[in-house]
Amino acid sequence: MKRLTLLFSIVLTTLSAAQSRSKVNFGADWEFKSSETAAWEQVSLPHTARLENLVVVNQFQGVCYYQKKFKIHSNNPNQKQFLYFEGVMMEAEVFVNDIPLAHHKGGYLPFTVDISNTIKNNQENVVTVKVTNVDNPEIPPGKPIKDLDFNYYGGIYRNVYLITTPKLYFTDAVEAHQKAGGGISIHFDSITPQKALGTIKAFIKNEEALPKKVSLKAVLSEAKFSLENRSKVVEIPANSSLEISLSIAVNNPKLWSTQHPNLYNVEISLIGDKTTIDVQNTKVGIRKIAIKKEGLYLNDVKTFLNGTNRHQEYPYIGYALSDEAQFRDAAKIKAAGFDFVRLSHYPQSEAFLNACDALGILVMDCISGWQFFGNETFQNNSYQEIRDLAHRDRNHPSVLFWEVSLNESSMDENYMKTANAVLKEELPYKDTYTAGWIDNANYDLYIPARQHGKAPDYWTQYQKGNRKILIAEYGDWEYYAQNAGFNQKEFAGLKEEERTSRQFRSNGEKRMLQQAFNFQEAFNSNLKGKQTIGQANWLMFDYNRGYSPDIESSGVSDIFRLPKFANYFYQSQRNVNKDNSSKPMLFIASYWNQNSPLDLTVYSNCDEVALYLNGTLISKQKPAITPFSNLLPHPPFVFKMTAFQKGTLRAEGFIKGQKVVESQVSTPEVAAKIEVSADLSGVALSKQTPDVIFVYAKITDAQGTVVPDATNEVTFTIEGATLIGQNPIKAEAGIATILVKTNANHKNIKIKASATGLQSGTMELQ
């Protein structure tokens, strides 16, 4: 079979000791084929086995192959080479120069392949990966895609790295397979505002022919602060491993929190014969968590978690997001008013967790599972997933809870007991908290979905000793399937599709307001629970699922990450902070046209809001306190308009009598032009590797107001990047969206959007 003549060349000379470890992105210049693409084609990683339609039906399942040709030029015989795969869906068989080296099962966690003894120096090498993504009841989540509430997309969909180390080196945390050890682990056991006491553990392997005497040096630094600690010298026998521990004490630590996500850099060096042999760097946050009788405490401050759920899917490319796209998702979650995210229902990417660390988002880490409990092999694979998850994520300050529970699955007592024991064995700390969807004593925290309870109380009357609960899902299923809602008099006039929380932006104001009200009502009800320490709504972004040939639309943002009205409701529930870490906000939930409801809703975290129509004051009001808002941090404002009058609504927000924010919305006129924008969410395009971003074509009137009922067909042309998705594509609620993939060596990207009868829009990205 004809192959592309691609070659990736790596030069590894005799490096200075401190440079003997390197980590090189290995994502460029791969070839790919599957049963649908008989010939090899050039691709870059991350990569999905098939670009899917916007609405995914019969997603790709089967076997595909990846290969990469590369040369390594090295004159250092004491170096080792590893391939580190962040995630391959679902089984991966790795060959180097046709020699089988690894067979990994499980699509959501990393694995490492030692290629040191297989590669040929200064010659062409070929790495081949056979990727199998089929229904397999023995590999979590186990359930066939056609019956599953999400999709698992095939391919090498996360990063791959070539890692070079000396033969005396720090091991990989997952690959070492050491209980409560392996790699580098850092944990602070005692934390006060005055001092934080912790332990650094490093698992070291010596593949040299002679024993080696070594010590650890750890430098913890932040801004102008630096702290250095050293361990005693120990001897590691030849061809063996050893763990070295090092105590660390930080005076007056800068604590990590959701408002102030302070991070320290920790550089850990392996020292031998007065030279640096290997170096690892990691970020850590010092934070104290405790579940007490009174509730959840973060750094000794009682905290209620307001959060959401997230699926890691993008349209078209499935799971194959760039690291920057992962960060943008986290930034959107934070901007929407959430300080907590449940990673439903599987382990998500390292880049996303890094973003949560940096942004101050607490995380519930989850294992793979949904309404399926498999045989003994399945269960053993699940236990291994728990170990690997703990090893990978234990140093992240954002990880608060560990959901070692198969979501909505009929787990038996032995599984639950073992799953909890496995995690506690790997993380033997008093602040390791497990979470399970079954009310079982093995779990530290009970995490029912709201719909698992019964109306009208749901979980507000739950009381079992001092056991705490977190509502892991709410606001969707109970309104979709249970005809829920306490305001049944208002529901009486609504059709089934109008009262559900599953609403697209194109469904219009009334239905987006209903979705927001459903979330509001359930949020308010959840706050009645005395044992409830937090909640996670279902969910942040719309997504595809295997069992239904449509998009699940209960997200507060759509699949293109465009916000619905509910997004602004949640933004309004975050308090304004004196240090400006959270600012005043105000949003008029109306398009203000002839079809707009005359009960006008304004979301704001201000004390008072004044509303003007065409410069005339309608009224200045306090929030609307009702049985469906009386416990909220910031109930919505509702203004009773007597009639529609074309023009501009302007709202001003006041705190303690002072105007702090304003917003306005104008009646849309006739569609006249297109405005093009790109969603970067504060994260610049990657300069080193391919990136993916959403590009929006907004159809506006002559004054720049989006025309919300515009459905014009928009055609995009792009220079300098690749367009992914439908083209042309119809606008939804006035906005047409495409996905754009950049090249690693891109310079300027030019994008044009045009539609019949409208002035075209253009933009450049650099």
Side-chain angles (χ1 to χ4, degrees):
M1 183 169 291
K2 184 178 179 181
R3 296 181 175 180
L4 300 175
T5 56
L6 301 171
L7 199 63
F8 184 85
S9 185
I10 302 165
V11 179
L12 298 172
T13 58
T14 303
L15 304 171
S16 65
Q19 296 175 310
S20 58
R21 174 180 288 265
S22 66
K23 185 178 181 180
V24 178
N25 189 291
F26 209 58
D29 300 327
W30 285 78
E31 301 165 275
F32 167 82
K33 70 174 181 178
S34 72
S35 56
E36 298 179 339
T37 57
W40 292 98
E41 59 180 272
Q42 184 177 353
V43 300
S44 61
L45 307 181
H47 180 261
T48 190
R50 180 215 283 165
L51 290 177
E52 300 287 353
N53 294 324
L54 179 60
V55 179
V56 180
V57 180
N58 297 323
Q59 69 141 96
F60 174 83
Q61 287 187 279
V63 178
C64 56
Y65 295 87
Y66 293 83
Q67 71 173 18
K68 179 184 177 82
K69 301 173 185 176
F70 64 102
K71 283 185 178 180
I72 289 182
H73 307 282
S74 175
N75 56 4
N76 187 343
N78 292 318
Q79 288 180 328
K80 291 184 63 64
Q81 288 82 32
F82 304 90
L83 289 178
Y84 179 77
F85 293 83
E86 287 188 346
V88 181
M89 188 65 69
M90 171 76 62
E91 283 188 79
E93 297 173 66
V94 182
F95 306 80
V96 172
N97 299 329
D98 295 325
I99 298 173
L101 295 183
H103 186 176
H104 183 263
K105 297 182 179 182
Y108 296 100
L109 287 170
F111 62 96
T112 301
V113 182
D114 188 343
I115 64 173
S116 308
N117 298 326
T118 313
I119 55 173
K120 304 169 185 175
N121 195 29
N122 298 311
Q123 299 182 48
E124 180 181 285
N125 297 278
V126 180
V127 55
T128 305
V129 185
K130 177 184 177 182
V131 180
T132 303
N133 185 43
V134 297
D135 297 336
N136 189 327
E138 294 186 342
I139 302 177
K143 195 167 191 173
I145 281 183
K146 69 179 182 63
D147 300 321
L148 195 64
D149 192 35
F150 53 93
N151 292 37
Y152 38 88
Y153 298 92
I156 305 179
Y157 73 96
R158 290 184 187 157
N159 297 316
V160 178
Y161 292 95
L162 176 68
I163 297 175
T164 303
T165 72
K167 286 190 174 181
L168 179 63
Y169 60 97
F170 294 121
T171 58
D172 174 78
V174 174
E175 199 63 24
H177 298 298
Q178 293 295 308
K179 292 179 182 179
I184 305 290
S185 66
I186 304 172
H187 188 268
F188 288 89
D189 304 292
S190 174
I191 300 171
T192 67
Q194 293 76 36
K195 182 171 287 189
L197 302 176
T199 302
I200 298 173
K201 295 194 296 185
F203 194 73
I204 300 152
K205 195 168 187 179
N206 179 16
E207 295 190 32
E208 299 273 13
L210 297 172
K212 295 290 181 179
K213 291 184 177 181
V214 297
S215 63
L216 282 187
K217 181 180 78 171
V219 178
L220 183 142
S221 58
E222 189 273 338
K224 298 180 180 179
F225 170 81
S226 182
L227 173 69
E228 180 178 311
N229 285 60
R230 289 178 180 262
S231 73
K232 295 179 180 179
V233 176
V234 297
E235 183 173 275
I236 305 180
N239 296 307
S240 65
S241 303
L242 184 69
E243 182 176 88
I244 301 177
S245 294
L246 180 63
S247 297
I248 187 168
V250 183
N251 292 324
N252 304 312
K254 288 188 175 182
L255 300 183
W256 185 96
S257 69
T258 56
Q259 294 180 26
H260 302 287
N262 298 305
L263 292 172
Y264 290 87
N265 184 72
V266 183
E267 182 182 83
I268 303 163
S269 302
L270 182 63
I271 311 295
D273 296 328
K274 297 182 180 180
T275 62
T276 302
I277 301 170
D278 195 8
V279 178
Q280 284 273 49
N281 280 276
T282 189
K283 299 280 188 183
V284 300
I286 302 174
R287 56 101 174 104
K288 180 181 180 181
I289 58 171
I291 297 178
K292 301 180 181 180
K293 178 181 179 181
E294 297 77 18
L296 173 70
Y297 287 78
L298 175 62
N299 300 330
D300 295 320
V301 177
K302 189 176 181 180
T303 302
F304 182 86
L305 298 175
N306 182 30
T308 189
N309 282 264
R310 185 235 185 189
H311 275 299
Q312 65 180 10
E313 174 196 87
Y314 254 31
Y316 312 120
I317 61 172
Y319 286 172
L321 280 66
S322 63
D323 285 358
E324 291 76 18
Q326 298 280 1
F327 200 107
R328 292 179 194 119
D329 262 11
K332 289 178 178 63
I333 289 170
K334 189 71 175 182
F338 299 116
D339 292 325
F340 170 72
V341 61
R342 176 176 177 242
L343 303 186
S344 49
H345 299 293
Y346 42 76
Q348 300 189 17
S349 77
E350 295 167 54
F352 186 81
L353 287 172
N354 290 337
C356 291
D357 290 344
L359 295 170
I361 304 173
L362 288 162
V363 169
M364 181 178 289
D365 232 343
C366 306
I367 60 172
S368 311
W370 189 80
Q371 295 187 2
F372 182 86
F373 186 57
N375 61 17
E376 183 179 358
T377 301
F378 170 92
Q379 293 172 47
N380 287 334
N381 285 334
S382 183
Y383 301 147
Q384 187 60 51
E385 186 178 59
I386 293 170
R387 294 189 189 279
D388 293 349
L389 182 68
H391 288 160
R392 190 195 71 166
D393 294 348
R394 63 195 174 194
N395 292 335
H396 286 283
S398 58
V399 177
L400 178 69
F401 302 125
W402 303 84
E403 187 179 334
V404 290
S405 170
L406 303 170
N407 185 58
E408 296 185 345
S409 304
S410 300
M411 305 170 291
D412 62 27
E413 180 69 23
N414 180 68
Y415 175 86
M416 290 186 282
K417 183 177 181 179
T418 305
N420 279 268
V422 165
L423 184 75
K424 297 295 178 75
E425 182 179 54
E426 297 294 352
L427 303 175
Y429 311 117
K430 64 180 181 180
D431 60 355
T432 298
Y433 293 110
T434 63
W437 86 278
I438 292 178
D439 194 359
N440 183 278
N442 286 293
Y443 292 103
D444 299 308
L445 182 68
Y446 179 31
I447 54 167
R450 186 170 164 86
Q451 69 267 15
H452 298 156
K454 294 181 179 180
D457 294 328
Y458 292 102
W459 298 104
T460 62
Q461 301 302 313
Y462 176 86
Q463 195 163 3
K464 189 176 286 188
N466 294 323
R467 188 163 174 75
K468 301 303 177 188
I469 67 172
L470 183 146
I471 309 301
E473 300 173 20
Y474 75 91
D476 167 41
W477 186 256
E478 69 268 32
Y479 293 92
Y480 178 75
Q482 297 178 339
N483 191 27
F486 307 119
N487 201 6
Q488 289 292 336
K489 184 180 290 187
E490 295 295 327
F491 264 44
L494 296 178
K495 299 176 183 178
E496 182 178 346
E497 65 271 16
E498 293 174 330
R499 63 174 174 257
T500 176
S501 299
R502 300 187 180 185
Q503 304 294 349
F504 293 99
R505 292 175 49 256
S506 57
N507 291 143
E509 291 172 84
K510 182 179 178 181
R511 286 167 64 172
M512 280 200 293
L513 283 165
Q514 185 63 46
Q515 182 202 45
F517 178 80
N518 291 353
F519 284 127
Q520 170 199 316
E521 180 187 64
F523 186 158
N524 192 73
S525 173
N526 290 341
L527 293 177
K528 298 175 184 177
K530 294 181 180 180
Q531 300 295 87
T532 305
I533 63 169
Q535 60 179 6
N537 82 321
W538 190 265
L539 80 166
M540 183 65 203
F541 306 116
D542 292 352
Y543 68 103
N544 282 282
R545 58 257 170 90
Y547 80 73
S548 185
D550 60 0
I551 292 176
E552 210 280 42
S553 56
S554 58
V556 300
S557 293
D558 70 11
I559 200 167
F560 296 120
R561 276 49 179 173
L562 288 165
K564 305 174 191 177
F565 286 174
N567 194 299
Y568 299 100
F569 160 70
Y570 280 109
Q571 288 183 37
S572 73
Q573 297 311 299
R574 178 176 282 151
N575 293 329
V576 177
N577 293 328
K578 294 180 181 179
D579 61 8
N580 215 30
S581 60
S582 179
K583 298 180 180 180
M585 69 81 58
L586 186 153
F587 177 78
I588 304 170
S590 174
Y591 297 144
W592 197 237
N593 58 30
Q594 288 184 332
N595 298 319
S596 297
L598 293 180
D599 283 357
L600 195 76
T601 300
V602 175
Y603 299 120
S604 179
N605 54 6
C606 295
D607 302 336
E608 291 182 288
V609 169
L611 183 69
Y612 297 82
L613 176 57
N614 296 328
T616 300
L617 178 66
I618 302 298
S619 66
K620 185 178 182 181
Q621 297 180 188
K622 300 281 188 180
I625 308 298
T626 73
F628 317 112
S629 68
N630 58 348
L631 296 179
L632 295 176
H634 301 283
F637 296 78
V638 179
F639 293 85
K640 301 286 186 179
M641 309 295 286
T642 56
F644 169 74
Q645 180 183 335
K646 178 182 174 182
T648 297
L649 291 168
R650 179 170 57 87
E652 298 176 345
F654 296 82
I655 295 178
K656 295 181 179 179
Q658 298 295 315
K659 178 184 170 182
V660 292
V661 65
E662 73 171 58
S663 181
Q664 70 178 41
V665 61
S666 298
T667 304
E669 302 284 355
V670 176
K673 60 181 180 178
I674 297 176
E675 294 181 359
V676 184
S677 61
D679 169 35
L680 294 176
S681 293
V683 182
L685 287 172
S686 173
K687 296 179 181 179
Q688 288 78 33
T689 53
D691 200 351
V692 285
I693 57 169
F694 291 107
V695 171
Y696 306 122
K698 298 180 180 179
I699 298 173
T700 76
D701 62 18
Q703 289 73 41
T705 299
V706 172
V707 181
D709 56 357
T711 58
N712 306 58
E713 188 173 75
V714 178
T715 300
F716 292 85
T717 56
I718 295 184
E719 297 178 21
T722 302
L723 185 152
I724 299 175
Q726 299 168 233
N727 189 35
I729 184 171
K730 280 191 173 183
E732 179 185 1
I735 303 175
T737 308
I738 57 171
L739 193 62
V740 172
K741 183 175 183 178
T742 68
N743 303 312
N745 57 352
H746 69 84
K747 293 183 180 178
N748 286 358
I749 300 170
K750 297 181 180 180
I751 303 170
K752 180 180 180 181
S754 57
T756 303
L758 301 178
Q759 178 183 330
S760 298
T762 61
M763 74 169 300
E764 285 194 21
L765 286 167
Q766 296 182 348

